[in-house]
Amino acid sequence: MEKTMCELFAGVGGFRVGLEKSDSSWNTVWANQWEPGKKSQHAFDCYVKNFGENKNYINEDIASVNKETIPNHNLLVGGFPCQDYSVAHTGAEGIEGKKGVLWWQIREVLETKQPKFVLLENVDRLLKSPANQRGRDFGVILACFNDLGYSVEWRVINAAEYGFAQRRRRTFIYAYKNSTKYFKRIEDKSLENIVFKDGFFVSEFKIANNTNGKLYDFKYKDIYDVSDNFKLDFKNAGVMRNNQIYTVDVIPQENKPTVLRKIIEDKEVDEKYYIGNKLEKWEYLKGAKDILRKAGTPHEYHFREGAIPFPDSLDKPARTMLTSESSLNRSTHVIEDPKTKLYRKLTPIETERINGFPDNWTNTGMPESFRYFCMGNALVVRFN
């Protein structure tokens, strides 16, 4: 099979970095990156700077793209936001979800281009959303795949548990047409065996045996029925095939994680990264809190949050990086510099290393604050 790939919501190219590192024969035939509401498209510029100019790298809203113009491809990849995937009936034919929800753009590409394989990434809470109808959003996604002739495997993966430098939990979704050789190879395998022995994830991300999974019939009238009525307690791994769902909480066979000490720069960093005289403010932000607040007279409630380690331990992997990394906020990493023994923030290069990117991947002319933003959005990859 020719290894042709289409990358949606490409960011700075995380899927491509990882796939091309594992196999240089991958050919990216089309990519789209668009940051809504931004005059400067720094992530797209970074993508082009690293991968080169190409008429098939598109910097526009995916909703405005005629999907027929996308080249044929065998693998569709992308990281998309966790949003409200409820579906509303309309007078027109076709599915109409909440405006702006990017899943429907993915579905439109699937329907139009029919790629054989799909690899998507989302936050771990996707499996439990929304709170008032747990599992509905993921159920809508599975139904869309099912209706288009795909089977699906999924796994929530914490990167640090498999040797990486960040405790980042993400849901990965692998879908494949029921006409593929891959499907035919595992067609006679039980859904349980696909999770534990024969499926896509288990060869690279080892897990311990666990027989406490559950099998469900996935029967529904249409996508609207799923949106209105479906709920399921999805676990962190599972398979959907031919209107059946098997889901189970798997336990990783952990690799020793990479710790921050291994990835921080071994030179003196610029003084701008040191927190200086703001120690008291940082201590407050990182500390435990129990604050009495009012939610309209006379209602009061306690806002509580636990403490975050301060400084972050150099002998543990990083916490999950957010797009606000480096700003004065609770989630930003602060370490004690091994050379100066003073507290400082991470450098952009260090955040790239936490995600497994090459040094200076985002050093492409964008503001430094956006370099952090890009890494807060990025996949964890294995480049080195």
Side-chain angles (χ1 to χ4, degrees), residues 156-175:
V156 176
I157 297 173
N158 182 339
E161 292 175 339
Y162 292 98
F164 295 89
Q166 185 178 180
R167 288 167 279 174
R168 192 177 187 94
R169 289 168 51 88
R170 289 294 185 267
T171 301
F172 288 88
I173 302 165
Y174 178 61

Side-chain angles (χ1 to χ4, degrees), residues 209-356:
N209 286 332
N210 179 2
T211 58
N212 294 324
K214 292 186 177 181
L215 185 66
Y216 300 90
D217 287 330
F218 187 35
K219 294 183 179 179
Y220 52 93
K221 180 180 178 182
D222 52 30
I223 198 71
Y224 308 106
D225 181 30
V226 178
S227 180
D228 292 342
N229 302 305
F230 179 85
K231 62 173 65 175
L232 195 147
D233 182 21
F234 285 107
K235 306 302 183 182
N236 66 14
V239 182
M240 184 280 297
R241 181 180 69 188
N242 294 335
N243 294 98
Q244 284 196 314
I245 293 172
Y246 173 81
T247 187
V248 61
D249 274 330
V250 299
I251 302 169
Q253 292 184 3
E254 297 185 30
N255 297 329
K256 187 176 181 180
T258 301
V259 298
L260 280 172
R261 192 179 301 278
K262 294 286 187 181
I263 61 94
I264 61 173
E265 297 195 60
D266 59 0
K267 65 178 183 179
E268 276 198 36
V269 305
D270 193 290
E271 64 180 19
K272 68 184 179 180
Y273 299 112
Y274 288 89
I275 66 174
N277 60 4
K278 296 180 180 178
L279 179 61
E280 186 175 333
K281 179 66 173 176
W282 282 104
E283 287 177 334
Y284 172 76
L285 290 170
K286 300 284 187 174
K289 299 173 187 66
D290 187 344
I291 304 169
L292 185 64
R293 291 181 173 174
K294 292 186 177 181
T297 305
H299 301 291
E300 295 181 340
Y301 67 97
H302 283 267
F303 168 75
R304 296 184 176 95
E305 60 184 7
I308 291 179
F310 181 70
D312 286 276
S313 173
L314 292 175
D315 296 313
K316 293 182 178 180
R319 293 173 286 104
T320 300
M321 274 197 304
L322 305 181
T323 55
S324 58
E325 182 70 33
S326 88
S327 64
L328 182 60
N329 76 85
R330 176 178 167 85
S331 65
T332 287
H333 290 78
V334 175
I335 63 171
E336 182 184 279
D337 188 278
K339 295 183 182 296
T340 66
K341 306 302 180 184
L342 300 174
Y343 288 1
R344 68 169 176 85
K345 297 179 288 185
L346 300 174
T347 68
I349 284 177
E350 289 165 346
T351 64
E352 289 165 343
R353 292 176 180 177
I354 285 172
N355 274 338

